[in-house]
Amino acid sequence: SEVSHVSTSVDRDSSNTVISVQGMSPTNHGEGPSTLTTTPTGDFDWLYASWLCDEVDLAGYESMSDVEMELGPNDESSNSQHSTVSLPDILKKLSSAINLDSISKFNISRSHVWEGTVRALTRKSFSPHNKVSVKFCDDVGTSEGAIDLGGPKREFFTLVLDWLMHSQLFCGSDSSKYFSCNATSQGNNDCFHAGEIVAMSLVHGGPGFGCLSPSLYQCIVEGPNNVLVNASDVYDVELRSSLEKLLNAKSTDEANTMIDRPLLSTLLDLAGTFKFVSSLDEIPTLVQQTVKWFLLGRSHFSQEQFVQGLSVLGIYDSILKNPESFRPVFCCSPQQLNAEVISHLFETNFSEVGSNRHCSESLVISHWNDYLLDVEERAETEVTFNDILFFASGCKIIPPFGIKLSLEFLHHAEKNGEMSKFPKANTCACILYLPVTHSSYDKFKEALSFAFLNTRGFGEP
């Protein structure tokens, strides 16, 4: 079935396949009581049908139970030599814990993605071990009716993790986030839900959460004792400047004058590090202790909540055993996307060699390859490779599980009897359909750029 994508001319196909859903089984989520999910029946529940990528073979792997561990473990296993298992292999094994006979339903409005997420996570029938099935609604609450066979799920994880990255739960730049000290969020258990949704995204085939500061990630893995932070890590510009000036003080009198100023004296007092120095050698330790409290100590409760959330589906236990394997999905590690990488991600399905269709497809592919080069060179287009990935798969980056994409061609006429001049996508099967009506490269480029820049998932722009 096809659903509206950008306009009546720019569509994204939600799926061409219907998969039956078997009966539900009892589940237990976290520390709450065991609950029974309902058995999906009738047309209503087809909207929640879910799909797991073919390349994720669930057979032959033992399920792994959740591990609930406190921040900063003291057991010997955390200090032992870490294994070097690849991240896809780790996640593939963890995905064997997914209960394919039960579904956890997410009813999401893109304008209020976190609100809908929390409702789903706190529902009695919810379990992170269930298949995830997402039904998007437009801004006025009308169901879009897309069957979730994978595409809406990936788009949901992309949107909710992006929301978290820029929410009040975190402070700092996009590449070096720390937890904020927010009493309201702590009271709402938001950091637990954040950790939970990050863990689910990794195991259910979504993107990673590559925005945490390396210091914060080290704290999550090893605890705070061995973590070193610097004044340059402080995200508050005025405070960072004051601390750096204190480090550069030329005399104890100058340093103590700075310490006695309102901004620093208040911070040092809250951190429990306030004192006047008698030697310049005392300043680095004073600053280190203060910065560590500001970045890590005061938000310790938020970190604990986040770690408890990460414990679902065995993610936190796996992080402790393989910290370097998980580092790229938690710390900023920009993917080096270029025309060659994107081209290799897509497998082209041509028509029979020698046919008229194959001839027209050859021209389209030459246009496509030139278009990718223009995107790489930012030649008169605002489109990025992330936009193309999002249009075709629902993910803006290549997920840790990897992804297989296909290119096909729009040879069939639309309902109005005309050939589509815009691209389409089946985000569930990760197929990008290219129009064959453009003999001019400029028209082809214009049509693709319009679609990629004016797409809002399965709904209207």
Side-chain angles (χ1 to χ4, degrees), residues 162-224:
D162 185 70
W163 184 93
L164 284 173
M165 182 188 303
H166 300 97
S167 72
Q168 61 183 1
L169 298 181
F170 296 92
C171 293
S173 66
D174 287 350
S175 61
S176 186
K177 293 288 187 181
Y178 289 91
F179 287 101
S180 63
C181 187
N182 189 299
T184 300
S185 297
Q186 291 176 354
N188 292 336
N189 219 22
D190 283 342
C191 288
F192 171 81
H193 295 315
E196 190 173 30
I197 207 68
V198 170
M200 290 177 62
S201 179
L202 293 174
V203 176
H204 288 269
F209 193 56
C211 66
L212 300 186
S213 160
S215 298
L216 176 56
Y217 182 70
Q218 183 184 358
C219 184
I220 289 173
V221 174
E222 302 178 6

Side-chain angles (χ1 to χ4, degrees), residues 101-122:
D101 295 325
S102 299
I103 55 178
S104 290
K105 303 175 183 179
F106 288 74
N107 294 300
I108 300 297
S109 167
R110 293 182 181 86
S111 299
H112 305 88
V113 63
W114 184 242
E115 178 189 4
T117 300
V118 172
R119 286 200 311 270
L121 294 177
T122 54

Side-chain angles (χ1 to χ4, degrees), residues 330-461:
F330 282 97
C331 299
C332 183
S333 181
Q335 293 180 348
Q336 300 300 318
L337 299 178
N338 54 43
E340 184 177 3
V341 171
I342 296 297
S343 179
H344 284 306
L345 280 177
F346 286 92
E347 179 182 354
T348 305
N349 297 321
F350 286 104
S351 298
E352 183 179 355
V353 176
S355 65
N356 291 334
R357 286 188 174 184
H358 187 275
C359 182
S360 64
E361 290 166 1
S362 298
L363 176 62
V364 172
I365 289 300
S366 70
H367 287 170
W368 168 250
N369 289 332
D370 281 341
Y371 183 77
L372 294 180
L373 290 174
D374 282 350
V375 172
E376 181 177 322
E377 298 173 1
R378 306 306 297 269
E380 299 181 1
T381 179
E382 298 178 1
V383 174
T384 66
F385 292 123
N386 305 100
D387 296 325
I388 297 174
L389 285 176
F390 189 60
F391 186 95
S393 69
C395 280
K396 293 184 179 180
I397 59 176
I398 302 172
F401 250 137
I403 196 166
K404 292 183 179 180
L405 305 171
S406 298
L407 276 181
E408 296 189 9
F409 305 92
L410 294 170
H411 289 291
H412 299 290
E414 302 287 289
K415 292 180 180 180
N416 59 8
E418 298 181 359
M419 304 280 282
S420 173
K421 62 180 180 179
F422 295 104
K424 295 182 180 181
N426 179 332
T427 61
C428 298
C430 297
I431 301 174
L432 175 62
Y433 299 93
L434 297 178
V436 297
T437 59
H438 304 291
S439 58
S440 163
Y441 172 70
D442 289 338
K443 293 293 185 181
F444 177 87
K445 178 179 179 178
E446 181 182 355
L448 264 63
S449 295
F450 176 82
F452 293 152
L453 292 175
N454 291 276
T455 299
R456 194 180 182 191
F458 291 84
E460 297 290 341

Side-chain angles (χ1 to χ4, degrees), residues 10-75:
V10 183
D11 300 333
R12 187 186 309 201
D13 186 0
S14 63
S15 175
N16 293 325
T17 307
V18 176
I19 297 178
S20 63
V21 181
Q22 304 300 321
M24 313 284 273
S25 62
T27 59
N28 186 293
H29 172 221
E31 298 178 357
S34 298
T35 57
L36 285 174
T37 54
T38 57
T39 303
T41 56
D43 293 339
F44 175 80
D45 285 292
W46 285 118
L47 297 176
Y48 294 100
S50 189
W51 175 74
L52 196 61
C53 297
D54 290 337
E55 61 266 33
V56 183
D57 181 10
L58 299 180
Y61 291 96
E62 294 180 358
S63 63
M64 298 184 67
S65 60
D66 292 349
V67 178
E68 297 183 1
M69 304 183 71
E70 294 183 355
L71 186 66
N74 295 318
D75 60 292

